[in-house]
Amino acid sequence: MKHDYKKTFMAIAIALGFALQGVAQTPTQKISAANIPPSDPSTYKGVVGKTLAESKEWWAKPLKAPQGAPNIVWILLDDVGFGASGTFGGLISTPNFDTLANNGLRYTNFHTAGICAPTRSSLLTGRNHHYVHMGNFAHASTAAGFPGYDGRIPPDKGTIAEALRANGYSTFAVGKWGVTPDEDTTAVGPFDRWPTGKGFDHHIGFLESATDQYNPPHLVEDNFHIKSDGRNLNEVITDKAIAYIDAAHKAAPGQPFFLYYAPGATHAPHQVSKEWSDLYKGKFDEGWDVYREKVFENQKKAGYIPAYAKLPERNERIQAWKNLPAGQQKLYARFMEVYAGYLTYIDHQVGRVISYLKASGQFDNTLVFVMIGDNGASKEGTFHGVINPKNSALTTPEADYIKNNESDYESIGTPEASTNYPLGWAQAANTPFKYWKSDADAEGGTHNPLIVYYPKLIKEKGGIRTQYGHVSDIFPTTIEAAGLKLPAYVKGIKQDTLQGKSLFSSFNDAKAPSLHAKQYYYIFTSRSIYKDGWKAEAAHRPDNIDLLNFPQGKTIPERNYDKDVWKLYNLNEDFNERIDLAKKYPEKLKELKELFDAEAKTNNIYPFIDRDDLNNKRIHHLENNN
């Protein structure tokens, strides 16, 4: 009889298909290709003989988090000064942050790198930003062909997501990424420096440094470019964060997750619906000078700043509010109403995530870090604020510029505008510090609030911690607090050591010593060095405000870095840099300048690259490659 091999083959295939389908759909199945680490020939413990009878099968144990390991949530806001949120004495309502801080800890001596991509790279890797090649940004306009500046995080400096995935976590990122080279952001990648290539199972958001909140031109999910649905992006990413966690929880209820929640808020453009901005109608009519005074007193009364503190003088570039014409006061107050509504709105979105975690029974075992700003408040809104980029402060006479903004009053904060508030409000939001975002020489650029919430370990509710901390410390703190281990290898590559220091010892000891004893700061040649409470710093001019007077193609009058003036402060007695001790303690200044040079060599800070180099396109010359 002739055998019908075709029918037999089909029957086997169908049976095998049903069998495989059954395996895939069995909820109690403990082993799957997704959670079995690939076999390493050097550690393989099976026996491979010539026949199956002579062989013994072996599988590596599935990745599994330690029993009771917490869920982990990192929240990183964008461009928020120390004195903005009500949680740290500001006049902007942030009730969800208040709740976390009042049931956890407020860290009042925490620092960022002073600008977005450097901060994010340091946070994600637990190392200094130049050390992981992110001295500026990964953008073609700012990256340079030097180890500290090429914008390409090396694979031996793995991310927190890669470390947590190796500990059996699900990993999700939503919002701003900001550390992918421009050349890699197209639909063909490569994707190894996208979030999914850096340890995240899923991501939705944008790869660049800023985006429109209603019509983001380059929205991505996982490795695909997608179209916006027209809603505010912060609502979209919050929905997705909840959806990612929910799906993972239903599939594997015992598996912890890591969420990196990094909204574009409150980076410009400040865009939020009127229901939020109108909450603050008339609340800022007294102006930025009164705002600073009120916030300063709030901070002192609450113990967020030392009792001896004094408020620095208003910056010489900013006009006294009382001297402004009524039309300008009205205009500028509206800028701040929108910004405040924007910050309260993002606090609300964070509250949605927390509410979901509570409702799903996951919040009681969740370790939360909230970094209120990746740097200080932004000076990028110019002296008079920005509404329509076509009304350029570079090309429009000042009187006409202000008049145009007054005509666009109703557009402030809308989807049609590209809103950023004036410099005076940025200084107010940075109370009690001097200067702004991207000023690596000043606390106003690098000093941001930190909240840590984890009642399972933290016994004190609403405690204040003054230990010196840096954004690179969050990685090792997370690993230690969660009881996890750092993987020695990621994707077969041996990992470099972390540079951050854990804050864990301070969780239940307000007097625990600061473990992070030294730290450099550097952005476009403004620079400083901290060691054991002393800080030496040098501003470099022109900065991105001064450059309004030196547009592209014009030469600045002086570029001698050796002539930059260094100042010296004892932050143990003068936390907000009011008393320059450079002339009183020249040997201490010399010691710190030498330390900066040593740190510069270790961390790839050299060569110095300033904003004039960027504006005149003296870097990123790919044609110079051999």
Side-chain angles (χ1 to χ4, degrees):
M1 183 177 75
K2 186 176 180 180
H3 190 79
D4 191 336
Y5 290 101
K6 185 176 181 180
K7 287 184 177 180
T8 302
F9 177 79
M10 290 298 293
I12 293 172
I14 291 170
L16 182 60
F18 279 124
L20 291 174
Q21 186 180 43
V23 169
Q25 293 180 348
T26 302
T28 57
Q29 185 71 20
K30 294 182 179 179
I31 298 177
S32 71
N35 67 359
I36 298 177
S39 296
D40 181 345
S42 66
T43 59
Y44 184 71
K45 298 178 182 179
V47 176
V48 180
K50 188 173 182 179
T51 67
L52 184 60
E54 300 170 310
S55 306
K56 182 180 179 181
E57 202 177 12
W58 179 83
W59 294 96
K61 289 183 179 180
L63 294 174
K64 189 175 182 181
Q67 185 69 31
N71 304 309
I72 297 165
V73 176
W74 282 8
I75 299 167
L76 177 65
L77 270 57
D78 202 335
D79 286 10
V80 189
F82 190 90
S85 70
T87 311
F88 283 77
L91 304 186
I92 301 173
S93 176
T94 45
N96 290 291
F97 296 153
D98 293 351
T99 299
L100 291 171
N102 292 340
N103 290 280
L105 299 173
R106 286 173 172 86
Y107 281 80
T108 60
N109 197 12
F110 180 73
H111 298 77
T112 58
I115 202 167
C116 56
T119 289
R120 289 157 201 273
S121 64
S122 183
L123 171 67
L124 288 165
T125 65
R127 302 168 176 96
N128 288 325
H129 54 293
H130 286 83
Y131 193 72
V132 297
H133 297 215
M134 203 67 63
N136 291 334
F137 298 87
H139 304 315
S141 60
T142 54
F146 304 104
Y149 297 96
D150 61 28
R152 286 145 173 84
I153 298 174
D156 69 331
K157 290 147 179 70
T159 69
I160 183 67
E162 290 170 320
L164 292 177
R165 181 185 274 177
N167 278 276
Y169 276 68
S170 300
T171 55
F172 313 116
V174 298
K176 176 173 170 176
W177 182 242
V179 292
T180 299
D182 285 352
E183 294 90 340
D184 294 0
T185 60
T186 71
V188 296
F191 302 107
D192 55 331
R193 293 189 176 92
W194 289 41
T196 52
K198 287 294 185 183
F200 288 99
D201 298 332
H202 293 291
H203 165 257
I204 186 170
F206 54 101
L207 303 177
E208 60 265 52
S209 295
T211 195
D212 189 285
Q213 295 300 303
Y214 287 96
N215 296 291
H218 304 296
L219 189 62
V220 298
E221 183 166 16
D222 295 339
N223 291 349
F224 296 94
H225 288 262
I226 61 175
K227 290 185 177 181
S228 167
D229 63 9
R231 291 181 295 153
N232 191 296
L233 181 56
N234 297 292
E235 181 181 345
V236 174
I237 66 168
T238 303
D239 286 350
K240 279 290 187 177
I242 293 170
Y244 291 153
I245 298 168
D246 191 60
H249 184 59
K250 289 174 179 175
Q255 182 170 329
F257 69 84
F258 167 54
L259 172 65
Y260 175 47
Y261 184 94
T266 56
H267 194 292
H270 304 160
Q271 295 170 314
V272 70
S273 64
K274 285 176 67 66
E275 67 176 295
W276 295 99
S277 59
D278 283 356
L279 293 174
Y280 292 94
K281 274 285 190 183
K283 296 292 179 65
F284 303 111
D285 290 353
E286 291 179 306
W288 46 60
D289 294 321
V290 171
Y291 181 101
R292 292 181 72 221
E293 292 166 0
K294 286 183 176 180
V295 170
F296 187 76
E297 290 306 314
N298 288 346
Q299 292 170 338
K300 186 181 287 191
K301 184 177 180 180
Y304 305 150
I305 62 176
Y308 67 76
K310 292 184 179 180
L311 183 66
E313 295 296 321
R314 182 192 329 105
N315 188 277
E316 65 275 7
R317 300 177 178 186
I318 298 169
Q319 287 185 272
W321 183 267
K322 64 182 181 181
N323 294 338
L324 293 171
Q328 284 179 240
Q329 289 183 349
K330 177 184 176 182
L331 173 68
Y332 297 161
R334 184 56 183 162
F335 275 109
M336 191 57 173
E337 291 169 3
V338 166
Y339 179 81
Y342 193 26
L343 182 54
T344 299
Y345 168 73
I346 202 62
D347 174 88
H348 169 75
Q349 296 300 327
V350 169
R352 290 179 55 214
V353 175
I354 294 169
S355 294
Y356 159 76
L357 292 176
K358 288 180 177 178
S360 61
Q362 299 179 74
F363 192 64
D364 288 344
N365 192 32
T366 299
L367 168 62
V368 182
F369 294 83
V370 182
M371 290 150 276
I372 305 182
D374 56 353
N375 44 245
S378 171
K379 58 185 174 183
E380 294 154 0
T382 77
F383 297 107
H384 306 294
V386 175
I387 305 173
N388 184 347
K390 292 181 180 179
N391 182 34
S392 172
L394 280 171
T395 58
T396 308
E398 184 175 49
D400 292 339
Y401 183 87
I402 295 170
K403 183 178 180 180
N404 291 340
N405 273 355
E406 289 178 339
S407 297
D408 285 336
Y409 177 91
E410 295 297 336
S411 298
I412 298 174
T414 66
E416 294 74 33
S418 185
T419 302
N420 200 352
Y421 58 14
L423 193 62
W425 284 121
Q427 179 181 248
N430 280 334
T431 304
F433 302 114
K434 298 187 295 183
Y435 299 114
W436 304 275
K437 166 187 175 179
S438 79
D439 290 327
D441 57 300
E443 293 291 294
T446 62
H447 202 131
N448 285 91
L450 169 68
I451 300 166
V452 182
Y453 172 90
Y454 192 32
K456 190 174 180 180
L457 280 181
I458 298 171
K459 304 308 178 185
E460 183 181 0
K461 290 187 176 183
I464 295 173
R465 296 292 182 266
T466 58
Q467 285 78 7
Y468 182 90
H470 183 260
V471 67
S472 61
D473 299 340
I474 302 300
F475 187 144
T477 305
T478 298
I479 295 296
E480 186 174 4
L484 307 174
K485 294 181 179 180
L486 285 173
Y489 291 82
V490 169
K491 299 176 184 176
I493 298 172
K494 185 171 176 57
Q495 293 298 289
D496 200 350
T497 55
L498 300 184
Q499 294 174 308
K501 308 297 181 184
S502 176
L503 291 163
F504 181 72
S505 62
S506 67
F507 277 17
N508 291 304
D509 184 0
K511 296 182 179 179
S514 298
L515 301 181
H516 200 124
K518 65 178 180 179
Q519 181 62 47
Y520 81 84
Y521 298 89
Y522 174 99
I523 300 167
F524 301 124
T525 66
S526 71
R527 54 206 186 273
S528 60
I529 182 74
Y530 167 92
K531 187 174 189 298
D532 295 328
W534 286 87
K535 185 181 176 188
E537 57 191 49
H540 180 71
R541 301 299 185 215
D543 63 14
N544 66 330
I545 296 176
D546 296 328
L547 281 169
L548 290 175
N549 300 316
F550 296 98
Q552 183 176 330
K554 292 187 177 181
T555 302
I556 62 176
E558 180 62 68
R559 301 185 70 244
N560 188 336
Y561 303 112
D562 292 333
K563 292 185 178 180
D564 288 345
V565 176
W566 284 80
K567 297 180 180 180
L568 177 68
Y569 297 99
N570 181 357
L571 300 187
N572 294 320
E573 300 174 357
D574 177 26
F575 84 107
N576 60 348
E577 305 168 314
R578 295 184 60 255
I579 305 168
D580 180 12
L581 301 173
K583 292 182 179 178
K584 187 174 182 179
Y585 299 111
E587 289 303 313
K588 173 61 72 172
L589 178 60
K590 181 175 181 291
E591 171 195 332
L592 290 175
K593 288 172 69 175
E594 289 173 352
L595 178 59
F596 178 86
D597 183 63
E599 289 293 289
K601 293 171 181 175
T602 298
N603 291 281
N604 306 316
I605 294 176
Y606 297 137
F608 285 162
I609 299 171
D610 69 13
R611 290 186 181 275
D612 185 63
D613 294 321
L614 270 58
N615 285 11
N616 287 285
K617 300 181 180 179
R618 300 188 185 104
I619 58 172
H620 208 84
H621 295 158
L622 299 180
E623 66 273 13
N624 290 342
N625 290 344
N626 293 325

